[in-house]
Amino acid sequence: QVQLVESGGGLVQAGESLRLTCVASDHLFNMYAVGWFRQAPGKEREFVATINWTGADKHYADSVKGRFTISRDNAKNTVYLQMNHLKPEDTAIYYCARSDMNSLQIQSARYRYWGQGTQVTVSS
């Protein structure tokens, strides 16, 4: 099975930026779509962004469109989430997940493997 490890979270002020990193244990990760999801305290898990296996296709939640950028470096088994102009409502645990499909997926149920999450806290 694929092990996913997220990093890069932290505590920042509104308007600042963070880059999240997801590193997978092997190259199987690179054959499938990857998504970023987040879960705020007391709320349901929410789709953030997804990228297909080649990195050619991307899709974002409306709430982050224009502020967040998903990318991948398959040579490093790595997916990134660049988060700019952060808002307090972006505060959540962010999870990297891998689908068993290679096309874009926005439903959490379509992802098989999940990382442990990294905390992002944005203060006003």
Side-chain angles (χ1 to χ4, degrees), residues 64-83:
V64 307
K65 194 174 300 180
R67 299 188 298 120
F68 291 10
T69 302
I70 188 170
S71 61
R72 68 191 304 165
D73 184 347
N74 284 346
K76 297 181 178 180
N77 295 350
T78 299
V79 170
Y80 303 97
L81 184 68
Q82 178 67 43
M83 306 187 296

Side-chain angles (χ1 to χ4, degrees), residues 37 45 99-101 105-112 114:
F37 294 80
R45 187 166 52 195
S99 175
D100 279 340
M101 304 178 185
Q105 305 294 330
I106 64 173
Q107 298 293 325
S108 62
R110 307 293 283 270
Y111 289 85
R112 181 175 180 180
W114 294 79

Side-chain angles (χ1 to χ4, degrees), residues 46-103:
E46 176 188 22
F47 167 76
V48 175
T50 184
I51 187 167
N52 83 322
W53 75 290
T54 67
D57 295 319
K58 306 171 184 179
H59 182 69
Y60 301 91
D62 288 343
S63 60
V64 307
K65 194 174 300 180
R67 299 188 298 120
F68 291 10
T69 302
I70 188 170
S71 61
R72 68 191 304 165
D73 184 347
N74 284 346
K76 297 181 178 180
N77 295 350
T78 299
V79 170
Y80 303 97
L81 184 68
Q82 178 67 43
M83 306 187 296
N84 297 329
H85 307 290
L86 283 162
K87 304 175 180 180
E89 53 262 44
D90 294 320
T91 295
I93 301 174
Y94 283 71
Y95 297 93
C96 175
R98 196 215 83 182
S99 175
D100 279 340
M101 304 178 185
N102 58 24
S103 58

Side-chain angles (χ1 to χ4, degrees), residues 5 7 14 19 27-28 39 56 64 66 70 81 83 101 114 117 119-121:
V5 179
S7 62
R19 187 183 72 168
H27 280 93
L28 183 64
Q39 188 165 19
V64 307
I70 188 170
L81 184 68
M83 306 187 296
M101 304 178 185
W114 294 79
Q119 177 70 48
V120 172
T121 302

